[in-house]
Structures are given as C-alpha cells and as structure tokens.
Amino acid sequence: MKVDGRPAPESASILDAVLALGIHLPHLCKDDNLPPIGACRTCLVEADGRVVAACHTPAAGVSEVLTNSGRVVRLRREVLRLTSRMHGPEPDVAGGPRSGEIWAAYEEHGLERPTFPRRIRDGFDATSPFFEFEEQACILCARCVTACQQLQHIGAIGIAGTATAARVTPGAGATFAGSICTACGSCVAACPTHALRPKPMRDPARAGRYRRQGNGTEDG
Amino acid sequence: MERKTVSTCPFCGVGCGIVVHTRDDRITWVDDDPANPSSRGMLCVKGRFGIPFVQHPDRLTTPLVRRDGELQPASWDEALDLVAERLLDYRGAFGSFASAKATNEDAFVQQKFVRLVMGTNNIDHCTRLCHSPSVEAMLVQLGSGATSNSYIDYEEASCLVVVGCDPDSNHPVIASRMRKAVDDHGTKLVVVNPKRIDLASRADVFLQPAPGTDVALFNGMARAILDEGLEDRGFIAARTEGFEAWRAVVMERTVEEYAQACGVDPHALRLAARLYARPPARRGLPADERPGSCLAWGMGITQHTHGTDNAHALINLALLAGQLGRPGCGISPLRGQNNVQGCGDAGCIPDSLPGYQPYRDDVVARFEEAWHAGIPREPGIKATDMVERIATGEIRAMYIVGENPLLSEPNLAHAGDLFRRLDFLVVQDLFLHETAELADVVLPACSFAEKDGTFTNSERRVQRVRQAVPRVGQSRADWEIICDLARRMAPHVGVDPGQFAYRSAADVFAEMARLTPQLRGISYERLEREGGIQWPCPSPDHPGTRYLYAQSFPRGLGKFVPVRQAAPAAELPDADYPLILNTGRVLYHWHGGTLTRRVQALLDQVSEVPVTIHPGEAERFGIADGDEVVVRSRRGRLTGRAIVTDAVRAGSVFVPFVKLRESAANFLTNNAYDEPSRIPEYKVCAVRVEKKRPRDTALTGGQPTASRDR
C-alpha cells in the first residue's frame, strides 16, 4: 500500500499506516490505544478512489491512499465545519489535556470561525471534585464513552438520545458525582475538545494546610 | 516552560506509567502512558489527580532538630553530625524501617548502611504488615516470595479467583484488567470476601465467608476438587511433594462440614472449586492451550493470627490444581505500596540479603568482598518485634524512612507509648506526621517526582522514576541523605567512606544489580531503551521473565503443607463488644492518608472516616445512614460517618484505616500476631458502634461537616 505516494508499513488500518508515516490526519474520535469508533468522520481519506474513514478501514487489499487530494481535503473541511457547529469557535486556553487536537484540525483545514449557527446545548456538570463537563464543547465523538467502557470497563458514561437530541451523560438524569464514576480520569484524558477537562489544580502554594481537628482518638 | 516527564505512579503496587506535565516547574496534569505494558494507558483517581501532595506547603523543607523539647530548623551539617554522633552509641540496640514508597536505590543504600555501618540486620519494611504471611508460605512451599504471573495473565486466564482483597479500591487498574477479562473473554470470576466488593457484581460465584474461616473454606475447595477427581495428577506427581500427608488432613471433613464452618453454601463452594481447577476455556484460547486460573489475594488472607496458614491453604490449592507455571495462571499476592516488591528485593528485610540471598558463608563473603567490611550473619529483628522490643531495651534507637508507624501499627495507643521510650529517634520523610512529631531529628526527603530511580511493581517489573520538578526546599533523596550520614560514621567503624560515594542513582542501581542475581541483566541504559523489565533477568541479553515456575520451583519440588482451621481470631465478639471489625482501604485515599489528605479533591470526595455497617446492626444500635458514629474497642475509639449497606455481613463493621479528622482505625485494632510471620491481626477485632452524642463532640472538639453519601 502507498500513502500519498510513499510505501506504507504493514498496518491493521489505513489510519495506522498514515500515522506510522508521520502524516498528520485528524482523528478526533480515535484514541491511540482504543478500537476505532468511526463517529467523527474527520479522518476521511481516498482509498483506491473511494472516500472512507481511515480509522476503521482495514489496510489489507488497499493499494493507493490519498490524504491530501483536493476532494478529500474539501470533504474533511465540510465535516469539520459541521463539527464546529457543535463546538465553540474560540480556543479555550484552559482546555482539556488533548483539546489542542481539534484546534489543530480547524487550523489545518483553514477554518477560522464556524459558518453555521451554533447549536445551543448548555449542560454543565461540575459535581466531581476532579473534573468538569461543559456540554457546549462536546462534539459527541464518544471517545470518553469508549475510554470508560472499553479501557476501564466501568461504563459510567454513555450517549443518550439520538440525532440532534444526543448528549453525553453519566446515566439518565445523573451527575458525575451521583453516578458510578470513580474519577479515574480516562474520559478527561481522551476528550479531544475541552468539554471534559480537569478542574484547575488548586495552587498548592495557596491551599490550606492540613489541619488537625481535635485530639479525641487517643483517649481510648 | 512546559515539560513532560515519563515516570511511574507512586501510589500502589500496580506500577502504572504516568506522564507528569509541568509548567514553570509546577505540576499541571498527570497523564497516562499508553506505552506502559503494566497499565496500558490506564490510571486511577489517585494516580491521575492525587499527585499535588508533592508541592503541598506542608512539605518539610529543612532538617529539624529537637532543642529544648521543640523541633527547630537546623542546617544539614548540624542535623547529620548530631545523628552520626548519637547513632554510634547505639550500634547494638538499633533498628531501621525502610520505605516501600522510596526507590530501589534508596532501599539498597539504606540496608547497606544498616548492615555495614550499624552492624545489624535489624532492617524491615511494611511488607511485615501486609504480605509477610504470603511470603513466608511461598518461601516454605515454593522457595520464592514473588507474584508468579504478570498482569497480562489476568486477561489470558479462563478463571480468576479473587480472595480477601478489593482491587477496585486498592489496585484499580488490576480491577480494570480483570473486568476486561470477564467482559471481553468470558473469563469466569470467583470472588471470596466477607464484604461484597464491586467486583462481586461481575462474579460467577461470590462467597461471603465469616471472617477468619479461610482455611476451612480453601480446605473445603480442595476437598471438592478431590471428591470430583479434578486435581492435576501429572503436576502433583512430577512437581510436588507431601501430597498424601496433606490429603489425609483435608479428608478429615466433608465439603458440607467445611462450608458450614465458614458460613457459605456448599454448592457454591463446589462450583468455585470446579471453576478454579478446571475452568471452561475462555473465548479466544488456542485449542492446544490448557485453560488457566489465576489466584489473587490480599490482606483479607494475611492479616490474621493464622495468616500464614491461610496462605498455605491457598498455595496448596494452586499445587493441587496445577495452576502454576503456564500463561494465564499463577499466584498473586497483590502488593500494597508502589515499591514493596523492590524494597524487599533490595534487601530491606531482616532475614536475608539483597535478592533474598541467605546469610550463607559464600553469599556473605561475596557482599563483604564487594563492600570491604564485615556484615553480621545473624538474622535481624522483624518490624513488629522491633517495636515490642523497645519495651525490653533491646531497641533503643531507630531510624525510620518514609513510614508512619504511629498510624500503621496496630493498637496505636500502645505503639505510641513504646516509641516515646526510645532514646533516639530519626525520621526521614516528606511531612511532619505522627511519628515524626516524636523524633529527635527529622530529615526532609524528596518525593518520587523530585528524584531519579526505579520502582519494582507487583509483576516484578523494574521501571524508571524520573525527576519532574525541582526539589522542595532543602529536601534530598533518601539515598543521598543516608550516604552523607554513612560517610560521617564510616571512619569510626572501620568502613571505607568510599562505599557511600555514589555519583548517581544509576550508580547505586549498577551495584545492586551486580550483587543481586535476578537483577543482574538490568541497567539504566536498558530501561531507557526498552522500558520496564521483569525480573528474573540474569544477563544483559535476557528479555526478562513473564511468569515463574515454568520448569521447576526454586526449592525443587512444590511442597504441600497441611493446615487445619484454627480459632477465627484472637478476639471475638461478646456482650460488650458485639460486632466484628474488618479494616481495609478506600479508593480515594492512600493507606493512612499522610499523602492523600493533602490533596483537596481527594479530601472533598471522602472527608471523614466511613463506617460501613449492616442494616440489621444499624437498626439494633439506632444508627441511620449518614449519622456520625463512635466505634469503640478495648483499645481505643474513633469517630466516623455511618454508611448503612448490606454489602457487609450481618454482625460486622468495615472501617478503612485512613486517618481523617483525627480518626484512625488502628486505635481499635489488636496487637495479636501470627507467629511465623509476626503480622498483626488487623482484619478482626471486637467493637461496638454508637451514634455519636453531643458529649462526644465536646470531648473530641470535632466539627460535624457534611459528607458525601455514596
């Protein structure tokens, strides 16, 4: 198989081959160590003339892959424009650990600001002491769902509803604090936008010292 | 400036790979390391969010020396000169605790100092309080005290038997790998625990025995295996000895009698035995491979007055079923602290030299030749005995690194009395904890994030720890402090100070690897290139070892050891103290809490000691969910917050031993010991529970606060 004219190493999926060659391709719903979901369609490439999502298309049997043809770049840009309808237009400096990925994808595809009207979703869950979830930044890529279920095998988080009513939730009507979530943070680490992000680490220099409260336990 | 440092998590024995993100030398985020073969991109809440303790303002920043009864700041020279001068007087009456949270390099230098400069083998560490019965039993029966399998074996097993441990709270990433086995491969799961732990929700068989009846339970499983002819006769004949004598003891009672003794259903017990001995093949198992079973256990097995018997009963089962020495099977005492394996490997145990080498003439001679001085050949005193022997004057000075015995010892009021009687106490640690407050000299040590070194995890994988942030205050790495002290003392005791003139952690590791056969092939250069390596790794071209005992046991044949059920515990319920206390941990806090109660988010999650009580008992004692309660034993009391749930057995109470709001479970627990291992019976004692009255509040000065209901 050749990718953009370069011979590619043997790989399971087209995406693996593309990344192994050091070619940058957005893959907002695909975690390096998790199976592909195929939800975001931001890794579209041309494989022997067909447009496919690179993450879950096997490399076997494919001879020619183009990541940079005019057609596929245009299609990816349209997908990213649709994605940006779900996602705020301004980069958030206090973003999640991997939130750079989506901004890099916009920039590579020449998207400065969304051309579609924003869809209003304003859920905000700050009940966990460790992280918070801001729904207006969520692109429904389901990386968090996969990390919770297929990496940690906990299943505390899912997508409820369909189509434009779909939303990420830790159980119907639940908050993270009220769910079975153990706060392992795999979802936070996986989120490619800043929808799930760690709460700012309280500056230890200003944190209260641990204080002893009474001495009542030693009296037997 | 932004930096990323690949390192190893400092909390539990799983040894997950972490990437520490820093900006301008402050930690901003801790990420998982997908390339780490032990954790495969997973972390738990403590590893991901629990690291801020490193830069907490409570950190000790200068040495402290007691002047006029008060600990006061001092220079390093002043503090170390004082320690050197005083310790020279106590060479015959000295004991030292090493830290299973420190690096292998720290541990190796400390035991070298104790043996060479202090002339004693009185060095030990926390394994005495968690897995000494497992180690004792494994040494007798197999000849080695390490976990035999790797974590990958949990995912490749056809059956997992999880006994007396709660991986979801204590080893969360191992729990994830076990859940993966069940969910993805259809691996059968047997859970044995007096408490219904989270993992029990996925179990094919859940046995909830009465506390302290483990020998009856495992002899019952053995009897069931024998009754149904499921034993591995080929393995027994070729690889073991003592089978007939052991069999005669097991056959003394029927499965029904054993089941009754531990209060479980005999059919469930038989099913558990069948699944362990001959599990149905998991999905994806190659046709030519025999289905394997992994046996994992924790302190529910060990912390009893018959802890070693319990461990024997388990290892007998593994030998009977031949579930050792292949992929997908093995025995795993789940280790508590991050480097408890390495601390033992490095020689911080009283009864052997680094690498578990005995005090045999040829071995001692090899160390003496390398170190150019004599070392004692008499085994030293074990940790729990060192504390007791303060009373007899046999121990008069102690040097404690990275441990807080006045939180971790059983019967804390008693332990406190003993520590106050010491002539001279040195504590080297991150925080001024309960033990440090009693010290004559306190020395500020570095945390894992401020130094280089290695940790060895539960699957025997030696992994790098790398400095991510600058040192806090004047703190120094444990090995550097001890070398500095040793160089001051060496000339007075006929030791070459050059023995403590290491240039780097790598330098220390090189010496340890040279003197320790199972580490000989490992070097920093290899760790840098290949990542973590599992010992035994005898030569530089050896890839490391995934599982032990493929061909033989270190002692030759595996040995069956007959054991009978003893009295369940030294102290059982009566009219005054009608409930059984079981202790353990809570996911959001690490051990006694010295580190995690300094992480505000973890404290927000669990801010008071949770007291889990059965609904029947709660009703009997007038306690409602969320009430503030007082738990009393014959030795002490604590206050906590009631959680009413049938996850605990009727008649029992569960309290984690973390100290929050000045309450610690070990004020309650008993200093009765298991004889062979000298582990205290933390897991069972008699208590009563009352709703807290206003008078109690006045007494402790505690302020009631809202707690999270879970």
Side-chain angles (χ1 to χ4, degrees):
Chain A
M1 187 173 82
K2 282 187 168 179
V3 176
D4 298 341
R6 292 159 62 187
E10 204 166 307
S11 302
S13 71
I14 292 179
L15 181 65
D16 291 341
V18 169
L19 298 180
L21 285 172
I23 296 169
H24 197 268
L25 184 65
H27 48 285
L28 296 179
C29 74
K30 172 70 177 80
D31 244 311
D32 297 342
N33 56 340
L34 287 172
I37 308 168
C40 74
R41 321 308 285 183
T42 55
C43 66
L44 293 179
V45 292
E46 233 182 289
D48 296 336
R50 289 183 307 130
V51 174
V52 297
C55 67
H56 69 154
T57 305
V62 175
S63 54
E64 192 75 51
V65 172
L66 296 175
T67 69
N68 55 3
S69 71
R71 176 185 174 208
V72 80
V73 172
R74 197 169 60 243
L75 277 168
R76 282 207 303 268
R77 184 185 298 132
E78 289 310 303
V79 168
L80 285 164
R81 280 179 69 203
L82 288 164
T83 304
S84 75
R85 192 189 162 211
M86 291 191 280
H87 183 261
E90 299 88 14
D92 186 339
V93 284
R98 289 192 172 83
S99 68
E101 287 183 28
I102 196 164
W103 302 110
Y106 290 163
E107 199 180 316
E108 277 167 23
H109 291 78
L111 286 167
E112 276 174 14
R113 42 184 52 254
T115 45
F116 292 111
R118 281 290 309 286
R119 217 181 79 196
I120 304 300
R121 293 173 307 153
D122 53 4
F124 188 75
D125 182 349
T127 56
S128 164
F130 306 98
F131 61 89
E132 57 200 17
F133 174 57
E134 187 178 14
E135 196 178 18
Q136 69 161 347
C138 174
I139 58 166
L140 293 166
C141 69
R143 255 205 216 186
C144 54
V145 178
T146 317
C148 192
Q149 182 56 47
Q150 296 195 43
L151 184 67
Q152 296 275 3
H153 290 261
I154 291 173
I157 182 170
I159 292 183
T162 54
T164 54
R167 54 189 302 186
V168 161
T169 166
T175 59
F176 277 100
S179 76
I180 59 168
C181 168
T182 62
C184 71
S186 284
C187 58
V188 179
C191 182
T193 73
H194 56 271
L196 278 160
R197 60 198 174 211
K199 283 191 171 172
M201 233 174 236
R202 283 174 228 191
D203 184 356
R206 278 182 290 159
R209 287 181 175 235
Y210 171 74
R211 292 219 184 276
R212 318 193 111 216
Q213 298 148 324
N215 58 356
T217 48
E218 278 141 295
D219 62 3
Chain B
M1 192 184 70
E2 309 246 4
R3 276 182 60 209
K4 293 181 193 176
T5 310
V6 178
S7 194
T8 306
C9 177
F11 283 107
C12 80
V14 179
C16 297
I18 59 172
V19 182
V20 181
H21 294 232
T22 51
R23 188 185 304 135
D24 301 333
D25 292 333
R26 305 222 45 105
I27 298 169
T28 53
W29 168 249
V30 175
D31 212 351
D32 51 80
D33 176 8
N36 184 292
S38 292
S39 54
R40 299 192 157 189
M42 288 177 270
L43 287 180
C44 79
V45 60
K46 293 188 288 280
R48 180 103 56 192
F49 297 108
I51 306 297
F53 75 86
V54 166
Q55 294 174 315
H56 193 278
D58 282 359
R59 279 284 301 273
L60 290 164
T61 53
T62 66
L64 303 174
V65 170
R66 194 169 294 280
R67 295 190 201 98
D68 308 322
E70 293 281 316
L71 283 172
Q72 294 177 1
S75 71
W76 271 110
D77 277 339
E78 188 185 353
L80 289 177
D81 282 346
L82 175 65
V83 175
E85 187 193 322
R86 295 294 307 273
L87 286 186
L88 283 169
D89 293 340
Y90 294 105
R91 286 187 76 227
F94 172 83
S96 191
F97 290 177
S99 174
K101 300 205 74 60
T103 62
N104 288 322
E105 292 75 6
D106 293 326
F108 182 80
V109 168
Q110 189 177 348
Q111 62 84 34
K112 183 175 177 180
F113 165 75
V114 171
R115 293 191 158 107
L116 210 56
V117 177
M118 295 305 292
T120 168
N121 287 316
N122 295 345
I123 179 154
D124 208 349
H125 70 286
C126 66
T127 202
R128 189 64 49 203
L129 305 177
C130 53
H131 269 300
S132 54
S134 312
V135 172
E136 182 72 26
M138 289 191 289
L139 283 175
V140 168
Q141 296 184 264
L142 312 173
S144 161
T147 296
S148 78
N149 54 289
S150 293
Y151 306 151
I152 185 69
D153 290 305
Y154 302 137
E155 290 178 24
E156 296 193 357
S158 293
C159 175
L160 296 170
V161 179
V162 177
V163 182
C165 59
D166 179 1
D168 283 287
S169 298
N170 302 326
H171 304 94
V173 166
I174 282 182
S176 292
R177 298 190 73 160
M178 289 177 166
R179 287 192 295 267
K180 181 179 171 64
V182 173
D183 293 353
D184 292 357
H185 308 308
T187 295
K188 298 293 175 190
L189 176 64
V190 176
V191 170
V192 182
N193 203 309
K195 188 179 166 205
R196 195 177 63 233
I197 58 171
D198 284 352
L199 214 50
S201 66
R202 276 181 169 81
D204 294 276
V205 183
F206 171 47
L207 299 173
Q208 198 170 16
T213 62
D214 308 271
V215 171
L217 184 77
F218 301 120
N219 278 359
M221 282 177 69
R223 174 75 203 244
I225 290 169
L226 292 167
D227 283 354
E228 299 186 25
L230 301 177
E231 69 271 25
D232 185 341
R233 286 181 198 147
F235 186 90
I236 294 166
R239 304 273 313 262
T240 72
E241 62 182 344
F243 175 71
E244 286 305 328
W246 167 81
R247 184 178 179 278
V249 168
V250 166
M251 296 301 283
E252 287 170 6
R253 296 167 87 181
T254 64
V255 171
E256 279 66 26
E257 286 166 344
Y258 282 124
Q260 196 188 6
C262 46
V264 303
D265 173 45
H267 301 290
L269 195 152
R270 277 207 181 84
L271 180 54
R274 234 173 267 146
L275 287 175
Y276 177 67
R278 297 284 173 92
R282 67 168 169 87
R283 285 198 288 278
L285 185 79
D288 58 345
E289 221 171 277
R290 185 186 151 192
S293 292
C294 283
L295 186 53
W297 72 90
M299 278 151 244
I301 286 300
T302 58
Q303 291 174 340
H304 293 275
T305 40
H306 46 74
T308 304
D309 284 357
N310 292 346
H312 280 312
L314 277 175
I315 297 162
N316 288 335
L317 269 184
L319 294 173
L320 177 68
Q323 294 291 9
L324 279 163
R326 288 177 286 118
C329 68
I331 53 173
S332 317
L334 296 175
R335 313 309 301 262
Q337 302 205 10
N338 54 325
N339 197 37
V340 70
Q341 181 69 54
C343 195
D345 298 348
C348 293
I349 37 179
D351 34 28
S352 55
L353 290 163
Y356 309 97
Q357 299 177 84
Y359 299 111
R360 226 174 37 215
D361 286 347
D362 57 320
V363 177
V364 173
R366 206 152 47 76
F367 278 88
E368 289 181 338
E369 194 191 322
W371 292 346
H372 304 300
I375 56 173
R377 295 171 190 232
E378 288 295 304
I381 304 172
K382 293 167 180 162
T384 39
D385 291 330
M386 280 189 227
V387 178
E388 295 293 347
R389 289 192 199 178
I390 297 169
T392 64
E394 281 171 87
I395 298 289
R396 291 167 59 206
M398 288 194 80
Y399 195 120
I400 295 178
V401 175
E403 275 294 327
N404 184 6
L406 292 189
L407 200 50
S408 54
E409 283 289 309
N411 194 354
L412 284 178
H414 170 68
D417 288 344
L418 291 172
F419 272 90
R420 282 184 194 92
R421 286 199 227 171
L422 284 169
D423 289 354
F424 190 62
L425 174 63
V426 182
V427 172
Q428 182 168 307
D429 215 321
L430 307 184
F431 295 103
L432 191 70
H433 51 58
E434 290 77 357
T435 313
E437 283 177 355
L438 292 184
D440 296 284
V441 179
V442 179
L443 302 172
C446 284
S447 78
F448 84 105
E450 303 149 61
K451 64 186 175 188
D452 288 313
T454 53
F455 292 154
T456 306
N457 72 6
S458 276
E459 57 174 356
R460 295 169 277 101
R461 193 185 300 278
V462 180
Q463 307 193 98
R464 272 303 307 275
V465 173
R466 294 181 180 88
Q467 183 171 1
V469 289
R471 293 173 171 192
V472 170
Q474 297 177 31
S475 65
R476 302 170 69 188
D478 291 306
W479 70 264
E480 293 172 308
I481 301 171
I482 292 173
C483 282
D484 203 341
L485 176 65
R487 285 194 301 268
R488 284 161 209 256
M489 295 175 70
H492 301 280
V493 295
V495 170
D496 171 13
Q499 283 295 324
F500 294 91
Y502 303 101
R503 291 181 311 273
S504 64
D507 212 11
V508 178
F509 189 89
E511 178 179 320
M512 179 166 71
R514 210 161 48 237
L515 288 167
T516 311
Q518 71 259 37
L519 300 175
R520 200 160 285 154
I522 305 180
S523 62
Y524 271 38
E525 191 224 329
R526 270 192 80 180
L527 293 172
E528 212 58 58
R529 201 173 57 230
E530 300 169 36
I533 298 171
Q534 291 178 281
W535 70 252
C537 177
S539 60
D541 55 357
H542 191 284
T545 304
R546 169 173 156 183
Y547 57 88
L548 306 177
Y549 316 141
Q551 305 301 328
S552 66
F553 296 107
R555 75 177 293 278
L557 294 174
K559 184 180 177 181
F560 282 95
V561 172
V563 280
R564 292 185 180 86
Q565 176 68 49
E571 184 185 68
L572 289 167
D574 58 17
D576 291 339
Y577 298 95
L579 300 171
I580 290 182
L581 173 73
N582 180 11
T583 62
R585 276 183 246 158
V586 55
L587 169 64
Y588 298 98
H589 286 285
W590 174 250
H591 270 220
T594 304
L595 306 179
T596 51
R597 71 187 176 210
R598 292 183 167 91
V599 179
Q600 191 58 45
L602 293 170
L603 206 53
D604 287 350
Q605 192 81 3
V606 180
S607 55
E608 288 177 281
V609 175
V611 176
T612 310
I613 183 166
H614 189 272
E617 314 302 340
E619 199 184 330
R620 188 169 146 209
F621 299 104
I623 292 162
D625 194 61
D627 276 353
E628 204 172 11
V629 293
V630 181
V631 187
R632 291 174 201 274
S633 78
R634 288 186 177 80
R635 292 156 293 278
R637 52 173 226 137
L638 66 79
T639 59
R641 188 70 64 176
I643 297 174
V644 178
T645 164
D646 65 359
V648 293
R649 277 179 70 101
S652 67
V653 182
F654 178 87
V655 180
F657 70 89
V658 58
K659 183 173 186 177
L660 299 169
R661 294 177 62 79
E662 293 312 294
S663 283
N666 286 336
F667 281 105
L668 307 173
T669 50
N670 198 355
N671 54 333
Y673 299 99
D674 171 54
E675 254 331 295
S677 65
R678 300 299 289 163
I679 198 169
E681 186 160 62
Y682 291 105
K683 284 291 175 187
V684 188
C685 75
V687 296
R688 65 172 187 263
V689 183
E690 297 148 7
K691 189 165 170 169
K692 192 167 174 177
R693 292 157 301 182
R695 193 170 62 81
D696 297 317
T697 308
L699 195 67
T700 62
Q703 299 296 313
T705 58
S707 80
R708 258 174 67 80
D709 294 333
R710 289 219 63 172

Short mmCIF file of all heavy atoms in Angstrom, two decimals, chain B residues 131-153:
data_model
loop_
_atom_site.label_atom_id
_atom_site.label_comp_id
_atom_site.label_asym_id
_atom_site.label_seq_id
_atom_site.Cartn_x
_atom_site.Cartn_y
_atom_site.Cartn_z
N HIS B 131 2.09 -8.48 53.63
CA HIS B 131 2.18 -9.77 52.96
C HIS B 131 3.23 -10.71 53.54
O HIS B 131 3.62 -11.67 52.88
CB HIS B 131 2.39 -9.60 51.46
CG HIS B 131 1.11 -9.56 50.69
ND1 HIS B 131 0.21 -10.61 50.70
CD2 HIS B 131 0.55 -8.60 49.91
CE1 HIS B 131 -0.84 -10.30 49.95
NE2 HIS B 131 -0.67 -9.09 49.47
N SER B 132 3.69 -10.46 54.77
CA SER B 132 4.69 -11.38 55.31
C SER B 132 4.18 -12.82 55.39
O SER B 132 4.94 -13.75 55.12
CB SER B 132 5.23 -10.89 56.65
OG SER B 132 4.18 -10.65 57.55
N PRO B 133 2.89 -13.07 55.71
CA PRO B 133 2.44 -14.47 55.70
C PRO B 133 2.49 -15.09 54.29
O PRO B 133 2.84 -16.27 54.15
CB PRO B 133 0.99 -14.39 56.20
CG PRO B 133 0.93 -13.13 56.98
CD PRO B 133 1.83 -12.19 56.25
N SER B 134 2.15 -14.29 53.27
CA SER B 134 2.22 -14.82 51.90
C SER B 134 3.66 -15.20 51.57
O SER B 134 3.93 -16.26 51.01
CB SER B 134 1.74 -13.77 50.89
OG SER B 134 0.53 -13.21 51.29
N VAL B 135 4.58 -14.28 51.91
CA VAL B 135 5.99 -14.52 51.59
C VAL B 135 6.49 -15.74 52.36
O VAL B 135 7.16 -16.62 51.81
CB VAL B 135 6.82 -13.26 51.91
CG1 VAL B 135 8.31 -13.54 51.80
CG2 VAL B 135 6.43 -12.11 51.00
N GLU B 136 6.12 -15.81 53.64
CA GLU B 136 6.53 -16.94 54.48
C GLU B 136 6.05 -18.26 53.87
O GLU B 136 6.81 -19.21 53.70
CB GLU B 136 5.91 -16.73 55.88
CG GLU B 136 6.26 -17.78 56.90
CD GLU B 136 7.70 -17.68 57.37
OE1 GLU B 136 8.25 -16.57 57.30
OE2 GLU B 136 8.25 -18.72 57.77
N ALA B 137 4.76 -18.31 53.52
CA ALA B 137 4.19 -19.55 52.97
C ALA B 137 4.81 -19.88 51.61
O ALA B 137 5.14 -21.04 51.33
CB ALA B 137 2.67 -19.41 52.85
N MET B 138 4.99 -18.87 50.76
CA MET B 138 5.56 -19.14 49.44
C MET B 138 7.00 -19.61 49.55
O MET B 138 7.43 -20.49 48.80
CB MET B 138 5.46 -17.89 48.56
CG MET B 138 4.03 -17.58 48.13
SD MET B 138 3.90 -16.30 46.85
CE MET B 138 4.34 -14.86 47.77
N LEU B 139 7.75 -19.04 50.51
CA LEU B 139 9.15 -19.48 50.68
C LEU B 139 9.19 -20.94 51.10
O LEU B 139 9.99 -21.73 50.58
CB LEU B 139 9.86 -18.62 51.73
CG LEU B 139 10.29 -17.23 51.25
CD1 LEU B 139 10.87 -16.43 52.42
CD2 LEU B 139 11.32 -17.32 50.13
N VAL B 140 8.30 -21.33 52.05
CA VAL B 140 8.30 -22.71 52.52
C VAL B 140 7.87 -23.66 51.41
O VAL B 140 8.45 -24.73 51.21
CB VAL B 140 7.35 -22.84 53.74
CG1 VAL B 140 7.08 -24.30 54.08
CG2 VAL B 140 7.93 -22.10 54.94
N GLN B 141 6.85 -23.27 50.64
CA GLN B 141 6.26 -24.22 49.69
C GLN B 141 6.90 -24.19 48.31
O GLN B 141 6.89 -25.20 47.61
CB GLN B 141 4.75 -23.94 49.56
CG GLN B 141 4.03 -24.19 50.89
CD GLN B 141 2.54 -24.03 50.77
OE1 GLN B 141 2.02 -22.97 51.07
NE2 GLN B 141 1.84 -25.06 50.33
N LEU B 142 7.42 -23.01 47.91
CA LEU B 142 7.95 -22.88 46.55
C LEU B 142 9.42 -22.46 46.54
O LEU B 142 10.14 -22.75 45.60
CB LEU B 142 7.15 -21.84 45.76
CG LEU B 142 5.62 -21.98 45.81
CD1 LEU B 142 4.96 -20.78 45.13
CD2 LEU B 142 5.16 -23.27 45.16
N GLY B 143 9.83 -21.72 47.58
CA GLY B 143 11.21 -21.27 47.64
C GLY B 143 11.41 -19.85 47.13
O GLY B 143 12.54 -19.39 47.00
N SER B 144 10.33 -19.14 46.83
CA SER B 144 10.44 -17.75 46.41
C SER B 144 9.18 -17.01 46.82
O SER B 144 8.11 -17.61 46.89
CB SER B 144 10.62 -17.66 44.89
OG SER B 144 10.31 -16.35 44.44
N GLY B 145 9.31 -15.71 47.07
CA GLY B 145 8.18 -14.97 47.62
C GLY B 145 7.56 -13.96 46.69
O GLY B 145 6.96 -13.00 47.15
N ALA B 146 7.67 -14.14 45.39
CA ALA B 146 7.16 -13.11 44.46
C ALA B 146 5.88 -13.59 43.77
O ALA B 146 5.59 -14.77 43.72
CB ALA B 146 8.22 -12.78 43.42
N THR B 147 5.14 -12.63 43.24
CA THR B 147 4.00 -12.95 42.38
C THR B 147 4.50 -13.75 41.19
O THR B 147 5.48 -13.38 40.55
CB THR B 147 3.38 -11.62 41.88
OG1 THR B 147 2.90 -10.92 43.01
CG2 THR B 147 2.26 -11.86 40.91
N SER B 148 3.82 -14.87 40.88
CA SER B 148 4.38 -15.75 39.84
C SER B 148 3.99 -15.32 38.43
O SER B 148 4.66 -15.65 37.48
CB SER B 148 3.94 -17.19 40.08
OG SER B 148 2.62 -17.40 39.66
N ASN B 149 2.89 -14.56 38.31
CA ASN B 149 2.38 -14.24 36.98
C ASN B 149 2.53 -12.76 36.66
O ASN B 149 3.01 -11.99 37.48
CB ASN B 149 0.91 -14.63 36.87
CG ASN B 149 0.07 -14.00 37.97
OD1 ASN B 149 0.18 -14.39 39.12
ND2 ASN B 149 -0.71 -13.01 37.62
N SER B 150 2.08 -12.37 35.47
CA SER B 150 2.04 -10.97 35.06
C SER B 150 0.58 -10.53 34.97
O SER B 150 -0.32 -11.36 34.97
CB SER B 150 2.68 -10.80 33.68
OG SER B 150 4.05 -11.06 33.76
N TYR B 151 0.38 -9.20 34.83
CA TYR B 151 -1.00 -8.72 34.70
C TYR B 151 -1.66 -9.25 33.44
O TYR B 151 -2.87 -9.49 33.41
CB TYR B 151 -1.04 -7.19 34.69
CG TYR B 151 -0.36 -6.53 35.86
CD1 TYR B 151 0.21 -5.26 35.74
CD2 TYR B 151 -0.28 -7.16 37.10
CE1 TYR B 151 0.84 -4.65 36.80
CE2 TYR B 151 0.36 -6.55 38.17
CZ TYR B 151 0.93 -5.29 38.02
OH TYR B 151 1.56 -4.68 39.07
N ILE B 152 -0.87 -9.46 32.38
CA ILE B 152 -1.45 -9.97 31.14
C ILE B 152 -2.08 -11.35 31.39
O ILE B 152 -3.04 -11.72 30.72
CB ILE B 152 -0.37 -10.03 30.01
CG1 ILE B 152 -0.97 -10.45 28.67
CG2 ILE B 152 0.77 -10.96 30.36
CD1 ILE B 152 -1.88 -9.43 28.05
N ASP B 153 -1.56 -12.07 32.37
CA ASP B 153 -2.15 -13.38 32.66
C ASP B 153 -3.58 -13.28 33.18
O ASP B 153 -4.36 -14.20 32.99
CB ASP B 153 -1.26 -14.15 33.64
CG ASP B 153 0.04 -14.59 33.00
OD1 ASP B 153 -0.04 -15.26 31.95
OD2 ASP B 153 1.12 -14.24 33.51
#
